[in-house]
């Protein structure tokens, strides 16, 4: 179950109720409430790679970090490019100069870490954010899965990367799938349908289950939430450990950013997860 939590007068987040009781992690998915950004970026836009006023973005990040008792330099977000590259945040990364950190995060769409007090986060505005938590090995990940990432099986690859790097048991791994565009709002062209059909992320029969044709327009709509479910369960995650927000960003664009509804020049939802120390 998902719950809106207003942390203070400036920060409101969506959280998974089942995870809120786990003192080993903190997590969040930001709403538009609070912050200092304006217009289509208003108000809590913490997306560093948007056309918003950089000072506003930094102020929003500072407000968010203060609410979660996190040092701003420990909030790590990549420059996403709708690919499938996954990057591990370790101690060596934290000691890199800022320029080298930015270079390492270029073209990355998923981050993972086993460091405490280090938040890995991804930004979205209709794409699917997935937070992964492996309690057996104290490791976490944040995944940005747009339709291209889904076709490229980025969620499956992220689970495998956590298994490879940390020895995580997928059967014990947990996932939260955050606010993103729903099937009724996600109309696509034939070329996108064809890429989903040809993807190795699922079987042909599973691919067919993702599509619904609008009888009025004849256009196809794709279910990204089911696509995420298929990838997570294919890698061994169980239904009891999967938590879906079931919030459509397009339909709720006054509360969550939606690029399709607000335009590309708009804010971004930030979804992050952090291991806490000594709890």
């Amino acid at each position: 179950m998902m719950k809106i939590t207003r942390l203070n007068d400036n920060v409101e987040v969506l959280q998974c109720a089942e995870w809120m009781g786990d003192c080993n992690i903190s997590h969040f998915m930001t709403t538009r409430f609070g912050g200092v950004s304006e217009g289509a970026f208003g108000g809590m836009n913490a997306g560093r790679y948007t056309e918003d006023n950089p000072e506003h973005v930094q102020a929003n990040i500072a407000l968010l970090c203060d609410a979660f008792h996190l040092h701003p330099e420990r909030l790590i977000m990549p420059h996403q490019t709708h690919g499938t590259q996954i990057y591990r945040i370790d101690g060596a990364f934290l000691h890199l100069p800022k320029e080298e950190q930015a270079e390492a995060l270029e073209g990355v769409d998923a981050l993972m870490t086993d460091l405490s007090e280090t938040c890995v986060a991804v930004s979205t505005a209709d794409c699917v954010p997935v937070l992964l938590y492996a309690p057996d090995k104290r490791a976490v990940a944040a995944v940005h899965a747009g339709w291209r990432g889904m076709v490229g099986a980025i969620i499956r690859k992220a689970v495998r990367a956590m298994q490879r790097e940390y020895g995580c048991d997928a059967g014990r791994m947990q996932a939260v799938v955050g606010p993103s565009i729903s099937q009724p709002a996600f109309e696509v062209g034939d070329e996108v349908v064809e890429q989903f059909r040809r993807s190795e992320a699922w079987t042909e029969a599973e691919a067919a289950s993702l599509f619904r044709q609008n009888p009025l327009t004849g256009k196809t709509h794709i279910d990204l939430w089911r696509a995420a479910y298929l990838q997570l369960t294919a890698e061994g995650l169980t239904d009891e450990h999967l938590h879906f927000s079931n919030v459509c960003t397009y339909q709720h664009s006054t509360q969550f950013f939606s690029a399709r509804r607000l335009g590309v020049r708009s804010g971004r939802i930030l979804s992050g997860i952090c291991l806490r120390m000594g709890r």
Side-chain angles (χ1 to χ4, degrees), residues 68-199:
F68 278 92
H69 308 290
L70 182 71
H71 195 287
E73 292 186 359
R74 288 294 189 98
L75 175 58
I76 315 296
M77 62 183 85
H79 186 199
Q80 302 156 192
T81 57
H82 296 273
T84 60
Q85 185 175 343
I86 302 161
Y87 190 83
R88 176 177 178 170
I89 302 299
D90 56 16
F93 172 86
L94 296 180
H95 286 93
L96 291 174
K98 294 301 179 185
E99 296 78 8
E100 292 185 31
Q101 286 188 356
E103 183 178 350
L105 296 174
E106 181 65 33
V108 171
D109 281 81
L111 297 174
M112 58 183 176
T113 192
D114 61 351
L115 299 179
S116 297
E117 306 304 324
T118 303
C119 181
V120 288
V122 291
S123 58
T124 58
D126 289 334
C127 294
V128 183
V130 180
L131 301 178
L132 298 173
Y133 171 41
D136 59 326
K137 298 298 180 179
R138 279 186 53 85
V140 294
V143 184
H144 162 251
W147 73 260
R148 292 179 179 84
M150 286 290 189
V151 167
I154 188 171
I155 299 174
R156 298 189 67 166
K157 291 174 180 177
V159 173
R160 292 174 187 173
M162 292 184 73
Q163 292 176 305
R164 181 179 63 252
E165 295 294 325
Y166 308 120
C168 304
D169 178 356
R172 298 179 63 185
M173 199 177 295
Q174 303 173 28
V176 166
V177 179
S180 42
I181 198 165
S182 65
Q183 186 180 53
F186 191 44
E187 178 184 296
V188 301
D190 292 340
E191 70 285 354
V192 176
V193 173
E194 183 58 27
Q195 291 195 52
F196 270 79
R197 289 192 190 281
R198 290 186 289 130
S199 173

Side-chain angles (χ1 to χ4, degrees), residues 9 32 49 138 259:
D9 291 339
R32 296 185 65 182
Y49 302 99
R138 279 186 53 85

Side-chain angles (χ1 to χ4, degrees), residues 181-188 212 221-222 248 250-251 260:
I181 198 165
S182 65
Q183 186 180 53
F186 191 44
E187 178 184 296
V188 301
R212 181 182 66 81
H221 291 240
I222 291 181
C248 175
Y250 185 87
Q251 296 172 348
R260 281 207 172 195

Side-chain angles (χ1 to χ4, degrees), residues 4-6 8-14 28-47 52 56 60 63-64 124-126 179 247-271:
I4 291 287
T5 305
R6 187 160 294 185
N8 54 43
D9 291 339
N10 290 298
V11 179
E12 175 189 87
V13 295
L14 181 67
F28 59 82
M29 291 155 279
T30 59
T31 72
R32 296 185 65 182
F33 171 83
V36 301
S37 295
E38 301 173 344
F41 299 103
M44 177 54 75
N45 172 37
D52 193 6
H56 289 173
N60 292 334
L63 290 169
L64 181 64
T124 58
D126 289 334
V247 174
C248 175
T249 46
Y250 185 87
Q251 296 172 348
H252 298 279
S253 60
T254 58
Q255 190 173 22
F256 296 94
F257 292 110
S258 168
R260 281 207 172 195
R261 178 59 69 88
L262 302 170
V264 176
R265 293 190 73 255
S266 59
R268 297 292 183 270
I269 300 163
L270 194 67
S271 299

